[in-house]
Amino acid sequence: MCDTRLIYATMFLFVPACALADGEVLVFKGYYKNLLMQSRTAFPQAENYTLDLNRLRLEVRGRPAEWLGFEVQYDNEALLGSYLDTAQFAQLKAASPTTYWDLEGNYLDSQSLLMRHRVHRGFVSFNTTEFDAYLGRQRIAWGSGRMWNPTDLFNPYNPAQLERDERTGVDAVLVEKNFSALSRLSFAYAPQRNAPASRALRYRTNFAGTDMALMAGEFRDKRVVGFEFTGRIGDAGVYGEAAHTRPKAGDAFTRGVLGAEYAFENTLTIGAEYYWNGEGTTQRSRYDFVRLFAGEIQSVAKHYTGMHLKYDVTPLLRSENHLILNHDDASRFLASSLVYSLSGNWDAAAGVQVFSGDAGSEYGRLHNVYYMYLQRYF
């Protein structure tokens, strides 16, 4: 069982935090979130379900010395509802963790209630004027795309996931050499379960007001080279990235994103991006849904357009909307929500994810999700 290792790892990272309890360098925060949703499962069969997810995230970060820091984010979750009785949940629960270290476990598992805990983030940092190094479970945020990130291969992201701010961390070593305030060379190494380790170099700089980066590495059994940029044309932000991948087995392919974003003075922000997925196919009969549902890939077709719109209706109420169009099979995904700030620390939201398309299409296979949540920050 992983619970003993999880407890020891959490204690190892929390002990230095406790030692700093009387100092000024310790930061403690977190949140509690109750998320209630209703939908139907997509695999291996369609089953109606309701899920009530309760998450308590505790975060501690500190700096015992000028050159040494640490951060821990520890989750406790309680899941209730009919989703626990579905075949889809049974498959997901039996799957191996995607991270290298097994720092998660269930401590109560019944037909009506599942309680689990995990280390969401847990790393130490070593910082000097010339070098920064990070060891542990972390977020390596490469790429410039808002919905798709061809160069962000350490933390692949599904643009249709419900909690858009949640990113799975990677167990890795990240070392960065600072050449200037705008130029940096990064090296990342991440061991993998039952696969070759991933390793990559990335050089980031700024030229004529535009941030640019080059990346090259090996991700499991694939060699990848990539490029990204972020800049401005007038008052609009523009960005793009591309990655060419050469697997050890199979044909090479290229994936790329090109997008733009504009923020109006009335708080309206709109953006659009085009995604070319050279790994995908234009023939729905060749869609690889097995790898898609397993999380090994994030898209199955070749041509996509994504759009997002955010607007503060009032100082306390905001609207968030995301739309994805699959141009190869004409299926669509729309996520729309309203978020209301009850106070400085409380948010309440209600939203819907709408999937549409023909039978056998990418988004036509999925079912609408209706949800609401209450979140308290502290």
Side-chain angles (χ1 to χ4, degrees):
M1 298 295 290
C2 68
D3 296 61
T4 302
R5 284 176 288 173
L6 175 61
I7 292 170
Y8 279 127
T10 305
M11 290 178 60
F12 172 76
L13 292 166
F14 267 98
V15 164
C18 297
L20 294 173
D22 295 329
E24 298 180 353
V25 294
L26 182 70
V27 176
F28 176 79
K29 62 180 181 178
Y31 70 77
Y32 165 74
K33 184 176 186 178
N34 175 258
L35 172 63
L36 179 65
M37 68 184 77
Q38 188 277 326
S39 184
R40 302 185 74 193
T41 59
F43 68 93
Q45 60 202 42
E47 298 176 86
N48 295 326
Y49 74 83
T50 300
L51 174 63
D52 182 14
L53 183 149
N54 299 266
R55 179 187 300 127
L56 176 64
R57 176 168 294 168
L58 304 176
E59 177 179 340
V60 176
R61 63 176 66 183
R63 187 160 291 280
E66 185 177 352
W67 56 271
L68 176 65
F70 65 87
E71 178 178 330
V72 180
Q73 295 181 23
Y74 173 65
D75 287 355
N76 262 279
E77 293 184 341
L79 284 70
L80 306 92
S82 58
Y83 184 63
L84 276 63
D85 294 327
T86 63
Q88 176 175 301
F89 180 70
Q91 288 191 10
L92 294 175
K93 189 169 65 170
S96 299
T98 57
T99 51
Y100 180 73
W101 290 317
D102 187 4
L103 301 180
E104 59 185 74
N106 303 331
Y107 55 90
L108 195 159
D109 190 352
S110 67
Q111 187 175 4
S112 58
L113 173 64
L114 175 72
M115 299 191 70
R116 61 192 185 189
H117 59 164
R118 66 171 176 266
V119 176
H120 180 66
R121 297 283 188 271
F123 62 87
V124 292
S125 62
F126 307 91
N127 311 100
T128 68
T129 56
E130 295 185 353
F131 287 93
D132 296 304
Y134 306 85
L135 171 63
R137 181 161 298 174
Q138 57 191 290
R139 166 91 171 103
I140 300 179
W142 293 358
S144 58
R146 306 294 188 266
M147 293 185 175
W148 297 277
N149 294 116
T151 65
D152 190 358
L153 299 178
F154 288 106
N155 301 102
Y157 168 70
N158 185 346
Q161 71 180 40
L162 183 61
E163 295 185 277
R164 301 186 62 86
D165 294 334
E166 286 295 305
R167 300 289 185 102
T168 302
V170 59
D171 298 324
V173 177
L174 175 65
V175 181
E176 299 184 313
K177 163 66 175 175
N178 305 308
F179 294 101
S180 69
L182 300 176
S183 297
R184 173 175 293 188
L185 178 65
S186 305
F187 171 74
Y189 174 86
Q192 304 292 322
R193 288 176 173 269
N194 304 316
S198 296
R199 55 181 67 83
L201 277 172
R202 177 178 184 257
Y203 178 70
R204 179 181 180 273
T205 189
N206 183 279
F207 178 76
T210 300
D211 290 327
M212 299 181 178
L214 293 171
M215 180 272 289
E218 293 185 353
F219 295 87
R220 299 188 178 184
D221 60 345
K222 302 173 181 178
R223 293 183 177 179
V224 183
V225 293
F227 167 78
E228 64 179 272
F229 74 91
T230 303
R232 303 195 67 83
I233 298 180
D235 294 330
V238 294
Y239 56 89
E241 60 180 286
H244 181 73
T245 302
R246 184 174 296 278
K248 289 185 177 179
D251 298 330
F253 58 87
T254 300
R255 299 185 299 149
V257 164
L258 184 63
E261 189 175 64
Y262 188 86
F264 295 88
E265 293 184 359
N266 64 352
T267 75
L268 173 65
T269 299
I270 58 174
E273 65 183 56
Y274 171 74
Y275 175 48
W276 162 266
N277 177 27
E279 188 179 15
T281 176
T282 59
Q283 303 176 29
R284 67 176 67 183
S285 61
R286 298 176 59 189
Y287 283 173
D288 194 345
F289 286 115
V290 174
R291 294 180 64 204
L292 179 69
F293 289 139
E296 296 178 12
I297 57 176
Q298 287 69 53
S299 305
V300 293
K302 277 190 180 294
H303 309 90
Y304 295 87
T305 296
M307 290 170 278
H308 65 267
L309 182 151
K310 298 181 181 180
Y311 179 63
D312 292 341
V313 183
T314 72
L316 301 178
L317 179 66
R318 71 180 184 271
S319 172
E320 299 182 0
N321 306 272
H322 299 83
L323 175 67
I324 296 177
L325 304 176
N326 179 328
H327 296 286
D328 295 319
D329 62 21
S331 62
R332 297 166 299 281
F333 163 72
L334 172 65
S336 183
S337 65
L338 287 172
V339 183
Y340 186 76
S341 296
L342 300 174
S343 68
N345 298 322
W346 283 96
D347 280 348
V352 60
Q353 290 185 323
V354 179
F355 301 90
S356 57
D358 298 335
S361 64
E362 179 175 9
Y363 297 120
R365 295 171 60 96
L366 305 177
H367 304 282
N368 296 349
V369 180
Y370 306 91
Y371 69 94
M372 62 181 65
Y373 72 77
L374 184 67
Q375 190 162 4
R376 168 71 161 87
Y377 299 92
F378 55 85

